[in-house]
Every structure is written in C-alpha cells, then in structure tokens.
Amino acid sequence: MVNHLLWIGSYAKKEEPGIYKVMVDTDAEAIALKNRYSGVENPSFLAEAGGFLYAASESMDGKAAFFQVQSDSLELKGTADSGEMGPCHIYAEDTYVWTANYGGSVTKYERSGETLARTAFSKHEGATGPNEERQDGPHVHSVVPFPDGKHLLVCDLGTDTLVVYDKETLAVVKEVQAAPGAGPRMSLFHPEKSVVYVMNELDSTVSVYKVGDGGMITHLDTLAGLPDGYNGEHTGADLQLSPDQRFLWATIRGWDGVAVFDLEADGSLSKPRHVKLDGKTPRSFYALKTEPFLVVAFQDSNELCLYKIEPNGLPTFTGKRLAVTAPVCVIKKGEK
C-alpha cells in the first residue's frame, strides 16, 4: 500500500478547523481525513520548510502563522504581522518566508527558533486595470522563487504586472506588463526548461515567458484556457505540471474544468484539451509525484476529489470525495 499525506488550507474562522491533514491511498484509490487543526483565521495557503508549516492568514489584519510539524500533530507557535491585508500566497525556504498580500504588497519574514518576524516589505504602486471591479489598484496574488535561487516572481492581478524581486532584499529588479485585463495570478517555473508559465485569472489564459539571466523574463506566447464557445463566468485558478513534464494542467472556476496543455520539447504549449470537473470552484490541486493521481480542492462544493490521470494526460474522476469546508490549497506533507 502506498500512502501520500497532504496538507489542505481553507477558509475558516480562527476557532474552526482550517488546516487538514489528508491521506491518499493510491492502491485503494481512496482519500481520507487524518486530522484537522484550528487556531488561525483563513489559513488559505500553506508552505512547509525546516520542520515547520507556514500559513498565509488571509484576513483584514493579515498575518503569517507557523506551526511545528510533529509526528501526529501540529503545534501553533505564533504569528507575524504582514503589514498588509489579505496575505493569499506563501513561500517558505529554510528559515525565510514570503507572503503575497492581496492588499498590494510582498512581505519577507525570518524565523529564529520559535519566533517569526517581518524583515522586509515592498508596497506596489500602479494604475488601475480595465476590469473596474477587480483592478481598482494593486492586488498581489503570488510569490514564487526563480530557479536561480536569487529572485522572486510576483504576480500582481490588479495592475497586470509581473514583478521580479531580489529575493533577499525585496528590491525590484524588473517589471513586465501582461495583457490589459489579463490579471496574472499564479506562476510556475519549468524544472528543466528556461520557461515560466503564468495563470491569468481574469481572462483565463496561460502565458509562457522565457527566463533569462539575472531575473529577466520575456513574453513568448499566450493561449486561451477556456473551451471554444464558452461564454459564462470564469476565473483562472491554478496550474501544475505533470511529473513527467508532458502536460500542464490549469484549473478554471465558473466553467469548473481543467485545461490540459501538451508540452513541446522546448517547453511551449499546444492548444489545450478540456475536461469538465466534478465539483464547484476548483482552486489549488496537487499531482502526486510518483503515481498518476490528482487531488483537486473545490472551494464552493466543500470537498476534495481524487482523479486518476490517463496516459493521454486527461484526469478521470475516481468517484472518491472527501468533505472539507472551503478548501483552497493542496500541498504534499514534507515537500517544499
């Protein structure tokens, strides 16, 4: 029997369970709840490093929270103020942590023993975008490290901007404009090719950028994620590469499906195929590294669903669901 342990982040009140530990048994094609933990308001996104689990507390008085990971439990150690409302994405490495704050900024923290402190802060300034409802000002949505270990790529949905930061100082290295109204949300670097993929939330497209030296990125291509003829509401959510690097998956809310892109040898993408999913509002999802399964978090149908990946890259629902309230993040336990 092969079991995989996952952490799930969700929207929850401080006194309610907000972080879940879930086990996937691939032999039985089963998904089960192992434990759940409270103490942090809206621990919507999670990251693990150095024996600690960090959570972006997506609240008006934004914070980063951290837990010590023990063999059968999580122990809340404390929080640090982000200096901004709505931390909605978090990255952790060694004793350092970064949050993307939806209020329009990036925060860096350092853990010393069992204390977490804010050490750097960068506030975005910028014009509004064409989407008046969602682009009334800067709205930073993700912070992802470059493979060079020296830079961060930050998506600002509100200003249609990709901002490259010096990882240590949070000094701005470069800004790249996305298409007006695209709303860049999440980025994903190819582990072997010099390309990075960006999920654009507002127009549900996926952009491909060439990665150069010194944190440089250059736009190469943008592809539609939605099926032809779809005219309903939609917002792009997350993207993941298959472990064999043959496919890129992108979840899209509203339409509630996944776009499946084939990867070419140079990392470029084909026009996608499409699969309608089996829940409402797919957010984050996780592809098991050693076996062909996806776990998808459905925020508005309050569940995790287990999918088997066919040889052609298309996910097939196993029929296995696990009730979880407003899940939005899925990561592997013990994995950065």
Side-chain angles (χ1 to χ4, degrees), residues 147 188-197 211 241-246 263 265-267:
L188 175 67
F189 286 87
H190 194 290
E192 296 179 6
K193 310 293 182 183
S194 296
V195 295
V196 60
Y197 308 102
V211 179
L241 277 172
S242 64
D244 61 9
Q245 299 166 23
R246 293 176 56 209
L263 264 70
D266 60 357

Side-chain angles (χ1 to χ4, degrees), residues 11 58 86 88 102-104 126-142 155-161 180-186 199-204 233-237 253 281 283 299:
Y11 290 117
E58 194 171 336
C88 57
Y102 193 75
T128 58
N131 185 319
E132 294 182 2
E133 181 179 355
R134 298 294 311 281
Q135 295 184 307
D136 56 340
H139 291 304
V140 176
H141 218 299
S142 61
C155 290
D156 190 329
L157 179 149
T159 61
D160 290 320
T161 308
R185 172 186 174 90
M186 192 71 71
M199 178 85 250
N200 297 306
E201 175 172 334
L202 300 182
D203 65 4
S204 298
E233 293 185 0
H234 60 87
T235 48
R253 297 163 290 182
T281 316
R283 288 282 301 261
Q299 179 182 346

Side-chain angles (χ1 to χ4, degrees), residues 88-112:
C88 57
H89 189 251
I90 193 164
Y91 170 67
E93 177 184 297
D94 300 325
T95 58
Y96 299 99
V97 182
W98 297 262
T99 57
N101 310 311
Y102 193 75
S105 60
V106 179
T107 309
K108 182 183 178 183
Y109 316 77
E110 184 173 0
R111 180 180 60 80
S112 178

Side-chain angles (χ1 to χ4, degrees), residues 62-212:
K63 299 179 184 300
F66 69 118
F67 299 78
Q68 189 161 24
V69 180
Q70 299 172 340
S71 57
D72 57 355
S73 66
L74 285 178
E75 182 181 352
L76 179 62
K77 291 298 182 181
T79 63
D81 290 336
S82 65
E84 184 73 83
M85 63 163 282
C88 57
H89 189 251
I90 193 164
Y91 170 67
E93 177 184 297
D94 300 325
T95 58
Y96 299 99
V97 182
W98 297 262
T99 57
N101 310 311
Y102 193 75
S105 60
V106 179
T107 309
K108 182 183 178 183
Y109 316 77
E110 184 173 0
R111 180 180 60 80
S112 178
E114 296 185 355
T115 301
L116 189 68
R118 186 173 77 221
T119 59
F121 180 82
S122 180
K123 177 73 174 176
H124 284 204
E125 306 292 341
T128 58
N131 185 319
E132 294 182 2
E133 181 179 355
R134 298 294 311 281
Q135 295 184 307
D136 56 340
H139 291 304
V140 176
H141 218 299
S142 61
V143 53
V144 174
F146 272 69
D148 66 8
K150 299 177 181 179
H151 300 93
L152 300 168
L153 182 58
V154 170
C155 290
D156 190 329
L157 179 149
T159 61
D160 290 320
T161 308
L162 301 175
V163 184
V164 179
Y165 278 102
D166 180 284
K167 191 170 161 184
E168 184 173 339
T169 65
L170 290 190
V172 174
V173 175
K174 183 179 177 64
E175 296 186 12
V176 176
Q177 283 299 128
R185 172 186 174 90
M186 192 71 71
S187 65
L188 175 67
F189 286 87
H190 194 290
E192 296 179 6
K193 310 293 182 183
S194 296
V195 295
V196 60
Y197 308 102
V198 174
M199 178 85 250
N200 297 306
E201 175 172 334
L202 300 182
D203 65 4
S204 298
T205 61
V206 174
S207 294
V208 185
Y209 293 81
K210 180 177 177 57
V211 179

Side-chain angles (χ1 to χ4, degrees), residues 213-292:
D213 294 336
M216 297 298 103
I217 59 170
T218 307
H219 180 258
L220 295 176
D221 196 11
T222 294
L223 295 94
L226 288 165
D228 292 340
Y230 178 81
N231 296 312
E233 293 185 0
H234 60 87
T235 48
D238 198 9
L239 69 177
Q240 295 283 324
L241 277 172
S242 64
D244 61 9
Q245 299 166 23
R246 293 176 56 209
F247 310 107
L248 178 79
W249 299 297
T251 47
I252 301 176
R253 297 163 290 182
W255 168 58
D256 291 343
V258 61
V260 182
F261 298 86
D262 295 282
L263 264 70
E264 306 298 338
D266 60 357
S268 61
L269 302 177
S270 69
K271 185 177 179 180
R273 294 165 289 155
H274 298 90
V275 175
K276 200 83 164 64
L277 295 175
D278 300 86
K280 188 175 181 182
T281 316
R283 288 282 301 261
S284 174
F285 60 103
Y286 182 80
L288 298 185
K289 294 295 187 288
T290 56
E291 298 178 83

Side-chain angles (χ1 to χ4, degrees), residues 317-328:
F317 186 38
T318 64
K320 303 299 176 63
R321 307 174 186 265
L322 176 65
V324 172
T325 303
V328 293

